[in-house]
Each structure stands twice: as structure tokens, then as C-alpha cells.
Amino acid sequence: PATPGVTPSVSAPCAVLMEKATGEVLYEKEAHTRCLPASVTKVMTLLLIAEDIEAGTLSLDDTVTASARAASFGGSCVYLAEGERMSVRDMIKCIAVVSANDCAVVMAEHISGSEELFVQRMNQRAAELGLEDTHFTNCTGLFDDEQHYTSPYDVALMSRELLRHEFIKDYTTIWMDSIRNGQFGLSSTNRLVYWYSGCTGLKTGFTSAAKYCISATAERDGMELIAVIMKAPDKDARTKDAKALLNYGFSTYALVSAAPQEPLTPVPVAMGTADAVQPIAETENASVLVERSKAGGLTQTVTLEPQVTAPVAAGQRLGELSVLDGDTVLVTVPLVAQEAVARRSWGQVFTQLLRMAVFAA
């Protein structure tokens, strides 16, 4: 186990450790250096597939057909035959578990019509995510190309985006499985899946020029970490470095919820069709990353408007919640109206005044 707070020893020249929920970097070593990514490229390939599935333009049950070009790919593959048909579900499984190049190309062609067009989309998505040190020329990472590069930090960002699609972990956590009705066995290229507690994936890579790379992800106690290692000299060094970063993160940091610890008092509404409106946190599952030793000593303060005047819009700011370490504010979460409250009409106001007069009499 790592000693809390003691910076880990990482042999690889380029690495980064990121916490998923906040995106905070907990460790970096040449994190923005452009490197050949090898099959870690497929993090972006899987991301585009996952986004299409959740958008409804692609289904896990869809059947795709291998082209002659896809079937010709070597390296890590499942030896697709030209014309062989397979479900998207199995294609994802093959890409995630054994880094199948042939399946990655099949999916690229199925989604975009050609690998070239799919790669354009990969680069467009990289730009949208703000990946400043990333450019793709293929969807597999099989071919070393000076124009095909990324950085540990950018890999962490695209991995973080992929992990937003929870279903992908159904595949990235597989140690052993099979396809073709059990006739072809699959065994994960990521050793951490088998023996590292809480491992959620994510993707390994190797070429002779890129050396050994990995985006290793794991979750414990509600906190998920992303450890990226690039240019490691061998498999053992890659695994050891990833483990060291993950152990460091889990032993040193904790993710603390910034949700209100007690029910929030409704805010009175003047001239509204309702007398009050319920405040809620603007950001669902808001959290703050702190040193583990401080996690139990944090406090919260809540500030709310004494009253608001209708109309009140849903999402209108009503106050804020702050999480503090002593006198230091760690995070401030806006508190907003849970629902809209319309303004009373003059008729409604008159009716209420009439009722009040009758009651007073």
C-alpha cells in the first residue's frame, strides 16, 4: 500500500493521475508531452461508439459486417473474415478486452462510412473536449505516425468522458470471455482488471515505437481515478506505475459530497401562486476533493434569500452552499429554485384580500 501523501515513484517518462468527478490532477510527469498512443487510441474510438449508442443512433443489438479492408488488419485482432457478421455488443467487447483492430475498423466504417471519415469525427471530438495535444490519423493506433499523437493529460480527459457512459464498464472490466458462441476466447490485455481491487478498465496499448501505454481506471469509496502511463519500457513497468499512481490517489485523497447535509428551508415567495419555493443544489452530485486526513472535519454553510418576489423561474438562484476546511472555502454550490412559481393575477390578489377581510370580520 502507498504511504498517504508520499509522491509515488513512476519509472515511465510521461504520466498523469486525475480524479474523474472534479477533473483535478493529483500527479503529473510530462503530462502535456505529445506521445504515440498505440491502442490507447481506442479510448476515443470507444467514446464515439458509446455516444452514438446513448444518442440512439446505434444499438448494442445492431449487426455489423466486416469489410475486406477491416478483415485484413493485423496486430491485436479476432481474425474477422470478410463478410462476417457480428453484433455491436460483441464488437465493443473485442475492442475493449483484446484491443481488436479489425473490430475497431469495422465499427468506424459502420458509423461513418469509412475509417477516414470516422477519424475526422475523432479529431472533431478531440477539439470539442479541448485536447490541445491530440491528433488522430487512424482509429486503432496500430500504425506509428508522427501526425498521430496525444498526451497523458489528453488521454485522461478522453477517458474521463468515456467513463461518463457507465455501460462501457460492462466491457472494460471483463477479464475473460468469448465470442462466436464460445468458440473464440478473449483474455484482457489489462492485468489490473484481474487483480486490482475496484478496477474499472480502461485501455492498454503497445507498439515498438510507442512502447507500453495504459489508461488505468479504478473506483473505491465513491471516488474514481484515472492513471495514464505512456512510454513505459515493458508491461511490468506499465502495470507497476499505474498501480503506484492509483494507490497514491486512494490513500491520499477522498471525494466528499457537497450536497446539503440537512433539508433546506423553503424560501418565501411574495405575490406568488405558491407561498414558498424549495431550493436545491444547482449541480447534482456536486463534490469536492480533499486530503483524506481532512475529510471528516469539513463543515457547510448555507445562505438563502430571505424572500423572493414572483415570478420565480425554475433554476433561479436563491443562495449558495459552501464547504469549508476551517475558514477556507473549498467549493461553493449555487442553490436554485426547484420549480417555477407564477405571479398571482390581480384577480387572485383581490380574492385573497377579500378572504382575509371576511376572516378578520
Side-chain angles (χ1 to χ4, degrees), residues 259-270:
Q261 294 175 341
E262 299 177 357
L264 296 172
T265 304
V267 175
V269 179

Side-chain angles (χ1 to χ4, degrees), residues 276-319:
V277 62
Q278 181 61 47
I280 58 171
E282 182 180 51
T283 305
E284 189 177 358
N285 301 322
S287 54
V288 58
L289 190 70
V290 297
E291 292 179 20
R292 182 169 288 276
S293 60
K294 297 181 179 180
L298 304 182
T299 58
Q300 287 188 354
T301 61
V302 172
T303 305
L304 288 169
E305 294 288 345
Q307 185 184 59
V308 290
T309 302
V312 178
Q316 180 176 321
R317 187 163 179 149
L318 301 175

Side-chain angles (χ1 to χ4, degrees), residues 5-23:
V6 176
T7 304
S9 174
V10 174
S11 62
C14 303
V16 74
L17 177 67
M18 179 180 289
E19 192 281 313
K20 187 192 84 169
T22 62

Side-chain angles (χ1 to χ4, degrees), residues 311-360:
V312 178
Q316 180 176 321
R317 187 163 179 149
L318 301 175
E320 62 184 29
L321 179 151
S322 296
V323 178
L324 299 93
D325 175 18
D327 295 328
T328 304
V329 176
L330 301 178
V331 66
T332 297
V333 179
L335 300 176
V336 300
Q338 185 175 31
E339 67 282 316
V341 179
R343 187 179 180 87
R344 281 181 295 192
S345 67
W346 285 112
Q348 289 171 318
V349 172
F350 178 76
T351 301
Q352 185 181 29
L353 290 173
L354 189 61
R355 285 175 180 169
M356 291 170 65
V358 170
F359 181 77

Side-chain angles (χ1 to χ4, degrees), residues 51-344:
E51 288 179 340
D52 276 7
I53 287 171
E54 298 222 338
T57 57
L58 184 68
S59 168
L60 290 170
D61 296 320
D62 288 350
T63 299
V64 293
T65 304
S67 66
R69 181 173 182 273
S72 72
F73 270 69
S76 299
C77 60
V78 295
Y79 308 102
L80 291 172
E82 181 182 355
E84 183 174 357
R85 294 165 62 80
M86 194 177 288
S87 69
V88 168
R89 178 179 284 102
D90 279 351
M91 287 284 176
I92 295 173
K93 184 194 301 183
C94 293
I95 297 169
V97 179
V98 297
S99 197
N101 294 313
D102 44 2
C103 293
V105 174
V106 168
M107 289 306 302
E109 293 174 342
H110 179 76
I111 289 171
S112 297
S114 70
E115 184 182 7
E116 291 76 17
L117 291 174
F118 186 81
V119 170
Q120 287 181 23
R121 191 172 156 195
M122 291 171 72
N123 287 319
Q124 179 183 342
R125 193 70 183 98
E128 291 168 357
L129 291 172
L131 310 187
E132 297 180 358
D133 296 300
T134 296
H135 184 264
F136 300 109
T137 61
N138 61 78
C139 71
T140 62
L142 175 62
F143 307 108
D144 295 319
D145 180 342
E146 288 184 359
Q147 296 305 309
H148 186 88
Y149 55 80
T150 188
S151 68
Y153 180 75
D154 284 4
V155 171
L157 287 180
M158 66 179 93
S159 298
R160 182 187 183 208
E161 199 67 23
L162 178 58
L163 290 170
R164 296 185 195 279
H165 304 279
E166 283 288 328
F167 81 89
I168 204 69
K169 297 177 188 177
D170 294 342
Y171 305 93
T172 58
T173 57
I174 292 172
W175 174 241
M176 297 188 75
D177 208 321
S178 63
I179 54 171
R180 300 180 179 124
N181 297 316
Q183 297 302 304
F184 190 92
L186 306 174
S187 180
S188 178
T189 57
N190 182 1
R191 299 180 191 177
L192 295 170
V193 169
Y194 180 67
W195 59 261
Y196 192 83
S197 174
C199 183
T200 54
L202 191 64
K203 193 69 200 72
T204 61
F206 167 76
T207 67
S208 57
K211 299 186 179 178
Y212 291 85
C213 313
I214 190 170
S215 176
T217 59
E219 184 172 13
R220 294 180 186 174
D221 299 323
M223 180 174 72
E224 193 159 13
L225 299 178
I226 304 164
V228 180
I229 303 295
M230 304 192 80
K231 297 185 179 180
D234 54 57
K235 279 185 183 179
D236 288 340
R238 174 178 71 185
T239 303
K240 183 179 178 182
D241 284 348
K243 176 187 172 184
L245 285 184
L246 292 172
N247 284 349
Y248 165 72
F250 286 125
S251 65
T252 307
Y253 297 93
L255 196 63
V256 178
S257 172
Q261 294 175 341
E262 299 177 357
L264 296 172
T265 304
V267 175
V269 179
M271 298 295 292
T273 53
D275 294 331
V277 62
Q278 181 61 47
I280 58 171
E282 182 180 51
T283 305
E284 189 177 358
N285 301 322
S287 54
V288 58
L289 190 70
V290 297
E291 292 179 20
R292 182 169 288 276
S293 60
K294 297 181 179 180
L298 304 182
T299 58
Q300 287 188 354
T301 61
V302 172
T303 305
L304 288 169
E305 294 288 345
Q307 185 184 59
V308 290
T309 302
V312 178
Q316 180 176 321
R317 187 163 179 149
L318 301 175
E320 62 184 29
L321 179 151
S322 296
V323 178
L324 299 93
D325 175 18
D327 295 328
T328 304
V329 176
L330 301 178
V331 66
T332 297
V333 179
L335 300 176
V336 300
Q338 185 175 31
E339 67 282 316
V341 179
R343 187 179 180 87
R344 281 181 295 192

